[in-house]
Amino acid sequence: MNTIIYMVRHAESPYNEGTERTRGLTAKGKGDVKQVTEILKEEGIDVLVSSPYNRAIQSIEGLAQHLGLDIEIFEDLRERHFAEEMIDNLMSVISEKFDDFDYSLPGGESNFECQDRSVSVIKNILKQHAGKKVAIGTHGLVMTLMMNYFDSSYGLDFLNQLQKPDIYKLSFENLELKEVIRLWNGDF
């Protein structure tokens, strides 16, 4: 019995230091959410879950309204916490973390720690909702780390080519990832 997970990377969001949890979407991001809903509304999705961050929730809210479903929030799907202090060159730090999954800055978490907490949620979803279709409002790095756990070919190069938003359909047989199909094509 296959379980389908739709990873929905959040739409475009304005970056404002200190507003990780609360920042919403740009006007473009809000427009793209309509396309996310159009792509997913006929997929037969049974369950919606999300990171607690507003931009992830807002990226699947249109779908929730269309399907008449609530969005279940999981704290452990939140974006990775990089460090206590602001980071000047975030992409360099992210690159270093892909070379060493245990590397972390002071007060931050490693890729391994982020992957461990988020994959535990995915494993529970796969068990609890076996045979169903589940859409997840998520973040690029967390999504990459979750997919990397099941298939190590999803790494830094994959992360770097993601768009905002982006949608991947993952087909699981029990806890084994069988197929990945990209549904988003930014040409809408």
Side-chain angles (χ1 to χ4, degrees), residues 9-11 13-25 50-58 75 77-87 90 94 109 117 138-142 164:
R9 186 198 190 178
H10 68 79
S13 177
Y15 182 76
N16 299 312
E17 183 65 31
T19 62
E20 268 307 289
R21 286 185 174 269
T22 58
R23 64 184 159 113
L25 302 175
S50 181
S51 154
Y53 289 19
N54 282 346
R55 61 192 181 274
I57 295 167
Q58 290 173 356
E75 180 64 28
L77 292 177
R78 70 190 176 276
E79 181 61 286
R80 206 184 93 227
H81 180 65
F82 292 99
E84 287 176 7
E85 310 257 328
M86 190 172 143
I87 301 168
L90 183 60
I94 289 172
E109 67 182 332
R117 69 169 159 79
T138 189
H139 308 272
L141 183 55
V142 175
K164 292 181 185 177

Side-chain angles (χ1 to χ4, degrees), residues 97-162:
K97 289 181 186 281
F98 269 93
D99 291 336
D100 178 2
F101 264 46
D102 290 316
Y103 173 79
S104 67
L105 293 170
E109 67 182 332
S110 68
N111 275 353
F112 177 75
E113 291 167 321
C114 179
Q115 184 181 60
D116 188 54
R117 69 169 159 79
S118 58
V119 167
S120 69
V121 174
I122 295 297
K123 286 180 176 179
N124 286 334
I125 287 170
L126 290 169
K127 290 175 186 170
Q128 183 179 357
H129 300 292
K132 294 185 177 179
K133 295 181 176 184
V134 181
I136 299 175
T138 189
H139 308 272
L141 183 55
V142 175
M143 180 176 109
T144 301
L145 292 172
M146 287 187 284
M147 292 171 71
N148 172 271
Y149 176 84
F150 295 101
D151 180 343
S152 62
S153 69
Y154 294 97
L156 185 60
D157 289 341
F158 175 75
L159 173 64
N160 286 335
Q161 63 83 40
L162 288 175

